């Protein structure tokens, strides 16, 4: 199937739904992927009604893992999903050649798409970013590519001008995953992206607003542990039940408060408490032993 046809099919599959930014099961105290648990997590999410899976991103701690572990994670996730849901593999890296190698490896797995975050820490011009993304696209020309825009963590962002430029230059550009907190810039990115491409919004506290502005769907880290309200909200929005969708957005905002300051540690604690043994975060991140799932379940029960 031509890459343009793949993008069109993927747009239909992801529209009006959530694709969790999947947590990565790890062996405790290590940076080693526990591939034996990946199928259990994939089953948990697909059974809850998610539209796709985003693997090895920020919530997935992908940038903290060595390339061989990222490849092992990608292999396990694609095999576990087995055609039941589109899998988006994150291949972005600090060095272009590392991202290119991950993209080449991903090509052999035949995922629905690859995703590339910008390099981090050092500020880069649009020209430098364009070269980076083009190298990744060239390494996997037959695989749809999403750009990953998260400047609050990466320093480098993908603005409307760069997005317009790359959409014209790169036939494999599927679209953009934007986690910006500024909804006004998200609106500009939606306007800049050709309508045959895909914009996935990552700001959970303004998720419904992003959908109303024209985002095709959501990618959410919290939904890897608590997918229910995101599935319900996107479904309600798609069916035109705006009051119900607003109620689920309010529920999501309350659930975000349960995590406190431990984003990844909190998400993994909830999964552990729901019976999915993903283990703790990488050793450099704080884990949590707080009873977070009972608190979240109480909020869900009231909202439902």
């Amino acid at each position: 199937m031509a890459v343009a046809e793949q993008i069109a099919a993927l747009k239909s599959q992801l529209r009006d739904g959530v694709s969790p930014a999947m947590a990565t099961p790890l062996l405790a105290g290590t940076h080693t992927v526990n591939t034996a648990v990946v199928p259990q997590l994939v089953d948990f999410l697909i059974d809850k009604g998610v539209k796709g899976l985003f693997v090895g991103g920020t919530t997935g701690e992908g940038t903290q893992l060595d390339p061989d572990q990222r490849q092992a994670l990608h292999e396990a996730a694609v095999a576990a999903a087995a055609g039941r849901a589109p899998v988006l593999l994150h291949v972005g890296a600090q060095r272009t050649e590392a991202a290119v190698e991950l993209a080449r490896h991903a090509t052999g797995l035949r995922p629905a798409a690859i995703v590339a975050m910008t390099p981090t820490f050092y500020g880069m011009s649009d020209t430098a970013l364009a070269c980076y993304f083009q190298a990744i696209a060239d390494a996997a020309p037959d695989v749809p590519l999403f750009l990953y825009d998260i400047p609050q963590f990466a320093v480098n962002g993908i603005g409307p001008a760069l997005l317009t430029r790359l959409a014209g230059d790169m036939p494999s550009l599927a679209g953009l995953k934007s986690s910006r907190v500024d909804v006004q810039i998200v609106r500009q990115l939606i306007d800049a992206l050709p309508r045959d491409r895909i914009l996935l919004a990552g700001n959970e506290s303004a998720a419904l607003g992003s959908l109303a502005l024209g985002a095709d769907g959501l990618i959410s880290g919290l939904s890897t542990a608590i997918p229910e309200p995101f599935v319900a909200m996107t479904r309600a929005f798609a069916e035109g039940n705006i009051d119900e969708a607003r109620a689920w957005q309010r529920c999501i905002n309350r659930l975000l408060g349960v995590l406190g300051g431990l984003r990844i540690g909190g998400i993994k604690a909830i999964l552990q408490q729901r019976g999915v043994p993903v283990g703790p975060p990488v050793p450099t991140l704080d884990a949590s032993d707080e009873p977070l799932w009972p608190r979240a379940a109480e909020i869900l029960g009231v909202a439902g």
Side-chain angles (χ1 to χ4, degrees):
M1 186 185 298
V3 71
E5 295 175 1
Q6 294 179 61
I7 293 169
L10 188 55
K11 186 179 179 77
S12 178
Q13 290 175 296
L14 299 180
R15 182 182 288 125
D16 297 326
V18 62
S19 299
M22 204 173 80
T24 298
L26 296 174
L27 299 177
T30 76
H31 292 72
T32 301
V33 177
N34 188 350
T35 54
V37 177
V38 171
Q40 184 179 347
L41 178 54
V42 169
D43 288 348
F44 169 78
L45 294 170
I46 291 176
D47 289 347
K48 296 296 184 183
V50 305
K51 289 290 186 78
L53 301 168
F54 175 42
V55 177
T58 305
T59 301
E61 304 169 89
T63 60
Q64 301 299 304
L65 304 179
D66 290 336
D68 66 320
Q69 290 302 303
R70 295 180 70 178
Q71 291 178 1
L73 171 64
H74 293 176
E75 292 166 7
V78 171
R84 295 179 293 158
V87 177
L88 286 60
L89 300 178
H90 178 235
V91 301
Q94 194 73 351
R95 295 171 57 179
T96 301
E97 56 266 37
V100 164
E101 183 58 34
L102 285 165
R104 287 177 176 152
H105 175 263
T107 298
L109 303 177
R110 303 184 66 82
I114 57 176
V115 186
M117 186 171 70
T118 66
T120 65
F121 191 81
Y122 294 105
M124 297 171 65
S125 68
D126 279 1
T127 297
L129 288 171
C131 290
Y132 165 79
F133 286 122
Q134 189 63 60
I136 296 170
D138 290 345
D142 298 323
V143 180
L145 167 64
F146 283 90
L147 314 181
Y148 185 177
D149 176 44
I150 185 168
Q152 64 269 35
F153 292 142
V155 175
N156 297 295
I158 300 159
L162 177 59
L163 184 59
T164 299
R165 172 181 172 183
L166 294 178
D169 292 345
M170 292 167 47
S172 65
L173 181 67
L176 181 74
K177 189 261 185 177
S178 181
S179 294
R180 287 182 186 260
V181 296
D182 189 332
V183 177
Q184 187 63 258
I185 298 180
V186 174
R187 178 197 63 79
Q188 294 172 13
L189 292 167
I190 291 169
D191 291 347
L193 192 67
R195 290 312 303 149
D196 61 344
R197 313 296 173 90
I198 307 162
L199 193 134
L200 302 172
N203 181 351
E204 294 156 328
S205 62
L208 180 58
S210 297
L211 292 172
L213 287 169
D216 295 287
L218 307 176
I219 288 182
S220 153
L222 180 60
S223 70
T224 192
I226 315 177
E228 293 92 341
F230 294 91
V231 170
M233 183 186 72
T234 52
R235 184 175 295 152
F237 177 78
E239 294 172 352
N241 299 326
I242 302 304
D243 286 345
E244 181 184 347
R246 287 172 178 159
W248 282 115
Q249 178 68 78
R250 289 192 291 270
C251 173
I252 288 167
N253 290 347
R254 290 183 66 194
L255 290 168
L256 289 168
V258 170
L259 297 177
L262 295 181
R263 171 78 176 180
I264 295 176
I267 285 170
K268 285 195 152 182
I270 291 172
L271 276 167
Q272 290 276 146
Q273 293 158 20
R274 298 194 75 175
V276 185
V278 294
V282 294
T284 48
L285 297 179
D286 290 321
S288 175
D289 57 4
E290 293 291 316
L292 301 182
W293 172 235
R295 298 175 198 168
E298 183 177 359
I299 293 170
L300 274 178
V302 171

Coordinates of all heavy atoms in Angstrom, one line a residue, residues 5-15 86-88 112-113 144 146 174 198:
E5 N -1.9 6.1 1.0 CA -3.0 5.3 1.4 C -2.9 4.8 2.8 O -4.0 4.7 3.5 CB -3.1 4.1 0.4 CG -3.4 4.5 -1.0 CD -3.3 3.3 -1.9 OE1 -3.1 2.2 -1.4 OE2 -3.5 3.5 -3.1
Q6 N -1.7 4.6 3.3 CA -1.5 4.2 4.7 C -2.0 5.3 5.6 O -2.6 5.1 6.7 CB -0.1 3.8 4.9 CG 0.4 2.6 4.2 CD 1.9 2.3 4.6 OE1 2.3 2.1 5.7 NE2 2.7 2.4 3.5
I7 N -1.6 6.5 5.3 CA -1.9 7.7 6.1 C -3.5 7.9 6.1 O -4.0 8.1 7.2 CB -1.2 8.9 5.6 CG1 0.3 8.8 5.8 CG2 -1.8 10.2 6.3 CD1 1.1 9.9 5.0
A8 N -4.1 7.7 5.0 CA -5.6 7.9 5.0 C -6.2 6.8 5.8 O -7.2 7.1 6.6 CB -6.1 7.8 3.5
A9 N -5.8 5.6 5.7 CA -6.3 4.5 6.6 C -6.1 4.7 8.0 O -7.0 4.5 8.9 CB -5.7 3.1 6.1
L10 N -4.9 5.2 8.4 CA -4.6 5.5 9.8 C -5.4 6.6 10.3 O -5.8 6.6 11.5 CB -3.1 5.8 9.9 CG -2.5 5.9 11.3 CD1 -2.7 4.6 12.1 CD2 -1.0 6.2 11.2
K11 N -5.6 7.6 9.5 CA -6.5 8.7 10.0 C -7.9 8.2 10.4 O -8.4 8.6 11.4 CB -6.6 9.8 8.9 CG -7.3 11.1 9.2 CD -7.3 12.0 8.0 CE -8.1 13.3 8.4 NZ -7.3 14.2 9.2
S12 N -8.4 7.3 9.6 CA -9.7 6.8 9.9 C -9.7 5.9 11.1 O -10.6 6.0 11.9 CB -10.2 5.9 8.7 OG -11.4 5.3 8.9
Q13 N -8.6 5.2 11.3 CA -8.5 4.3 12.5 C -8.4 5.1 13.8 O -8.9 4.7 14.8 CB -7.3 3.4 12.4 CG -7.5 2.3 11.3 CD -6.2 1.5 11.1 OE1 -5.2 2.0 10.7 NE2 -6.2 0.2 11.4
L14 N -7.6 6.2 13.8 CA -7.3 7.0 15.0 C -8.3 8.1 15.3 O -8.4 8.6 16.4 CB -5.9 7.6 14.9 CG -4.8 6.6 14.7 CD1 -3.5 7.4 14.7 CD2 -4.7 5.6 15.9
R15 N -9.2 8.4 14.3 CA -10.1 9.6 14.5 C -11.0 9.3 15.7 O -11.6 8.3 15.9 CB -10.9 9.8 13.2 CG -11.9 11.0 13.3 CD -12.7 11.1 12.0 NE -11.9 11.6 10.9 CZ -11.7 10.9 9.7 NH1 -12.4 9.7 9.6 NH2 -11.0 11.4 8.8
P86 N -3.5 -0.2 15.6 CA -2.3 0.4 15.0 C -1.3 0.8 16.1 O -1.7 1.3 17.1 CB -2.8 1.6 14.3 CG -4.2 1.9 14.8 CD -4.7 0.6 15.3
V87 N -0.1 0.4 15.8 CA 1.0 0.7 16.7 C 1.9 1.8 16.1 O 2.4 1.7 15.0 CB 1.9 -0.6 17.0 CG1 3.0 -0.3 17.9 CG2 1.0 -1.6 17.6
L88 N 2.2 2.8 16.9 CA 3.1 3.9 16.5 C 4.3 3.8 17.4 O 4.3 3.8 18.6 CB 2.4 5.3 16.8 CG 1.3 5.7 15.9 CD1 0.1 4.8 15.8 CD2 0.8 7.1 16.3
A112 N 2.2 0.7 12.1 CA 1.3 1.6 11.4 C 2.0 2.9 11.1 O 1.7 3.6 10.1 CB 0.1 1.9 12.3
A113 N 2.9 3.3 12.0 CA 3.7 4.6 11.8 C 4.9 4.6 12.8 O 4.9 3.8 13.7 CB 2.8 5.8 12.1
P144 N 4.5 5.7 7.4 CA 4.1 7.1 7.8 C 4.9 7.6 9.0 O 5.2 6.8 10.0 CB 2.6 6.8 8.2 CG 2.2 5.6 7.3 CD 3.4 4.8 7.3
F146 N 5.1 10.5 12.1 CA 4.6 11.6 12.9 C 5.7 12.4 13.5 O 6.7 11.8 14.0 CB 3.7 11.1 14.0 CG 2.3 10.7 13.6 CD1 2.1 9.3 13.3 CD2 1.3 11.6 13.6 CE1 0.8 8.9 12.9 CE2 0.0 11.1 13.3 CZ -0.2 9.8 12.9
A174 N 2.8 11.8 8.1 CA 1.5 11.5 8.5 C 0.8 12.6 9.3 O -0.4 12.8 9.2 CB 1.4 10.2 9.3
I198 N -2.8 14.1 9.9 CA -3.4 13.7 11.2 C -2.8 14.5 12.3 O -1.5 14.6 12.4 CB -3.2 12.2 11.5 CG1 -3.6 11.3 10.3 CG2 -3.9 11.8 12.8 CD1 -3.1 9.9 10.4

